[in-house]
Structure formats: C-alpha cells, structure tokens
C-alpha cells in the first residue's frame, strides 16, 4: 500500500524549477601575473520583510555580481581575493562581501574569511556604511 502511494505522489508532484539563466563567467589575464574573473548569477538568500517581521524569514532570488582576483604564480595560485555585490533588504541599501579564500588543492572546496559591508544610499544616510564582524566560511562541492 505504501509503495503505490509513494509512486503516485512522485508522479503527480510538480516538476522542479529550471535553474535561473546566468551569464557565463568572464576571465581576463592581467599581464600574466593575475587572472581577474567576473560572474553574474542569481542566488537564493534569506530575507525578512521589515514591515512584517513577525512572519519570519523567507527566501528570494537575488542577483549577485562577483569579482575574483587570483595570482598565476604556482605557489600562490590557490589563494584569491574576492568581492561579492548584491542588493540588501531595501532598494537603497547595497551589500558588499570582500573575502580572502584558499582553494584546497585538487578539489573545489574553498576555505576563507569574509566580512559584510552595508552601504546606505538614502538622503539621510548618504555615504554611510557599516562593516560587520568577519566570519570564516567553507564553500564548494562536497
């Protein structure tokens, strides 16, 4: 009884959403010393509606623009500096995440440290920003 029910539920479920279309990454060779890589993509990020905070966290697609600078020297090729830029909670707030990361040789796993910088573009807070506490991260395919 359980097997036919599970099969029926599997057949009637909605098809998974296709991944959002993103532009392919672009790379530039900077005089053979560094490689600059640019990516633009969409990512799911948690968000909270500040007008209704009692509803809790929700997830929404946000555009992200990423720059990554990597040296080409064989001893330093696993270290890179990155910068992620994305819109924050409001349309007049920007979000920057500078990061220093180390790629584990032979894998796609990255270890690093990043911080978050909030920039406000309202007339009342023009040019002001706030730097959050740095945090460590692990990213990649496991």
């Amino acid at each position: 009884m359980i097997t036919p029910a599970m099969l029926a539920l599997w057949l009637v479920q909605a098809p998974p959403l296709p991944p959002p279309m993103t532009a392919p990454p672009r790379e530039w060779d900077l005089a053979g010393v560094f490689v600059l890589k640019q990516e633009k993509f969409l990512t799911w990020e948690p968000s909270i509606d500040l007008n209704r905070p009692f509803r809790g966290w929700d997830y929404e697609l946000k555009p992200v623009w990423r720059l990554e600078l990597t040296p080409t020297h064989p001893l330093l090729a696993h270290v890179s500096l990155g910068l992620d830029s994305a819109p924050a909670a409001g349309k007049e707030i920007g979000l920057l995440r500078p990061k220093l990361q180390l790629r584990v040789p032979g894998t796609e796993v990255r270890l690093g440290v990043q911080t978050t910088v909030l920039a406000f573009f309202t007339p009342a807070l023009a040019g002001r920003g706030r730097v959050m506490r740095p945090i460590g991260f692990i990213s990649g395919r496991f």
Side-chain angles (χ1 to χ4, degrees):
M1 181 66 180
I2 292 178
T3 305
M6 294 294 287
L7 181 62
L9 285 174
W10 182 72
L11 291 173
V12 298
Q13 71 180 352
L17 294 174
M21 296 299 292
T22 59
R26 297 174 59 187
E27 289 188 8
W28 295 275
D29 185 12
L30 303 178
V33 178
F34 292 102
V35 173
L36 182 65
K37 182 176 169 183
Q38 172 193 341
E39 293 180 87
K40 293 180 182 177
F41 56 92
L42 295 172
T43 187
W44 290 102
E45 289 200 8
S47 66
I48 192 164
D49 186 0
L50 298 176
N51 295 324
R52 291 175 274 172
F54 53 85
R55 292 185 66 194
W57 290 93
D58 196 11
Y59 289 92
E60 64 184 7
L61 274 175
K62 290 191 177 182
V64 175
W65 177 66
R66 176 178 290 163
L67 279 177
E68 186 174 341
L69 186 66
T70 307
T72 57
H73 192 279
L75 294 177
L76 300 174
H78 300 297
V79 178
S80 65
L81 294 172
L83 179 70
D84 292 352
S85 175
K91 62 183 176 185
E92 297 169 339
I93 302 173
L95 183 71
L96 289 174
R97 289 189 193 110
K99 59 176 105 175
L100 175 65
Q101 51 195 2
L102 170 72
R103 184 173 47 86
V104 178
T107 66
E108 293 186 32
V109 177
R110 295 176 183 251
L111 306 170
V113 177
Q114 78 177 16
T115 188
T116 301
V117 179
L118 291 172
F120 301 100
F121 302 105
T122 61
L125 298 171
R128 288 193 163 179
R130 179 175 177 160
V131 178
M132 304 296 186
R133 182 176 301 171
I135 61 170
F137 68 89
I138 298 174
S139 67
R141 296 181 184 181
F142 300 99

